[in-house]
Amino acid sequence: MHIDIITLHPGLLESPFQHSIVKRAIEKKLVEVNFINLRDYGLGKYKQVDDSPFGGGAGMVMTIEPIAKCIEELKAQRTYDEIIYMTPDGEVFNQAAANTLSMAKNIILLCGHYKGVDERVRELFITKEISIGDYVLSGGELPAAIFCDAIIRLLPGVLSDETSALSDSFQDNLLAPPVYTRPADYKGSKVPDILLSGHQKQIDDWRHEQSLERTKKRRPDLL
Ligand code: ADE
């Protein structure tokens, strides 16, 4: 998989790709992630990337020319499955969307700022608009990092235990069951006996029941 992230703040994006599972996926060459600084495509002496909105109003709007030039340059190098704009008015991201998008080969992510991008960017270039939830952040960088983490961990070979992504919360529309490790008794607070019993079938059934209970209680909308 190859991901190009167009951003005005590449520094905001660096850390999430330099640790843990995502870092290892990059090292193993299972994914390539490339940050493109939109400022490099800005207009004039000040490399301008935004302007005031036609019709008036507060805030600035990201202009079409720098974004168009950047996307066209990228499209000349490879064919993209999706060109995604991270925006709070996009489709709300979930595990099903992560599963589908983890099968893409090449993706562009465009991070918005200020009041967003000129509507014509969306009409002419964007194939999908994604929100990570019903709240507004200062820009699309943190949402882009979250999106990348969710899809990269699903790529074959990224997680050492191939089944571990399958037992994540949401993979079967259920929340994950509780987990425990040593010590079996912490100041009188004990691990459920079943988990120490060695009966794998009964343990699996218990975990499934716990998942159901937890989902009923916390997220009945998933059932
Ligand atoms: N940019 C700002 N807020 C966002 C959100 N909730 N999701 C995606 N992109 C955003």
Side-chain angles (χ1 to χ4, degrees):
M1 175 181 275
H2 179 98
I3 306 173
D4 286 308
I5 308 181
I6 304 174
T7 169
L8 283 170
H9 299 284
L12 250 180
L13 274 164
E14 278 159 18
S15 173
F17 296 90
Q18 290 171 351
H19 302 274
S20 185
I21 290 169
V22 173
K23 175 188 176 190
R24 259 181 283 131
I26 293 170
E27 284 171 354
K28 284 198 206 165
K29 303 206 182 306
L30 298 169
V31 62
E32 276 172 1
V33 184
N34 183 27
F35 305 139
I36 297 126
N37 193 337
L38 185 62
R39 187 67 61 184
D40 295 341
Y41 295 83
L43 299 182
K45 189 170 151 202
Y46 298 106
K47 297 279 175 196
Q48 194 176 347
V49 292
D50 60 349
D51 212 329
S52 46
F54 281 130
M60 299 291 268
V61 176
M62 288 168 73
T63 52
I64 190 167
E65 283 118 321
I67 298 172
K69 189 159 186 275
C70 180
I71 292 180
E72 272 158 6
E73 247 182 58
L74 292 171
K75 283 170 81 173
Q77 292 163 46
R78 44 175 63 80
T79 306
Y80 289 92
D81 301 289
E82 297 286 0
I83 303 180
I84 301 171
Y85 176 44
M86 305 307 299
T87 175
D89 59 6
E91 235 176 274
V92 179
F93 191 52
N94 60 16
Q95 192 62 47
N99 292 346
T100 305
L101 287 160
S102 72
M103 288 182 263
K105 196 162 174 286
N106 299 314
I107 295 178
I108 293 177
L109 297 179
L110 173 63
C111 304
H113 261 273
Y114 317 116
K115 281 279 162 201
V117 297
D118 186 303
E119 188 64 19
R120 291 164 294 181
V121 170
R122 300 166 80 151
E123 289 164 7
L124 296 175
F125 297 104
I126 299 300
T127 61
K128 199 175 256 311
E129 302 184 335
I130 290 183
S131 162
I132 59 155
D134 290 340
Y135 43 85
V136 178
L137 299 168
S138 319
E141 282 76 13
L142 299 179
I146 286 170
F147 170 86
C148 287
D149 188 302
I151 61 169
I152 289 171
R153 63 196 300 286
L154 296 174
L155 298 176
V158 170
L159 294 180
S160 47
D161 178 354
E162 283 274 80
T163 63
S164 69
L166 296 175
S167 58
D168 286 344
S169 278
F170 304 113
Q171 277 301 7
D172 46 10
N173 263 359
L174 291 178
L175 301 182
V179 293
Y180 298 86
T181 185
R182 272 177 276 277
D185 184 339
Y186 174 71
K187 299 181 180 175
S189 178
K190 294 197 174 121
V191 170
D193 287 339
I194 181 80
L195 296 176
L196 309 173
S197 70
H199 298 306
Q200 199 53 53
K201 166 82 175 80
Q202 286 173 25
I203 292 172
D204 291 345
D205 290 347
W206 179 86
R207 285 185 169 145
H208 187 66
E209 266 166 43
Q210 292 288 317
S211 280
L212 269 173
E213 279 302 305
R214 191 162 266 201
T215 312
K216 261 188 224 156
K217 211 154 144 200
R218 299 183 184 187
R219 293 293 306 275
D221 56 299
L222 293 174
L223 293 171

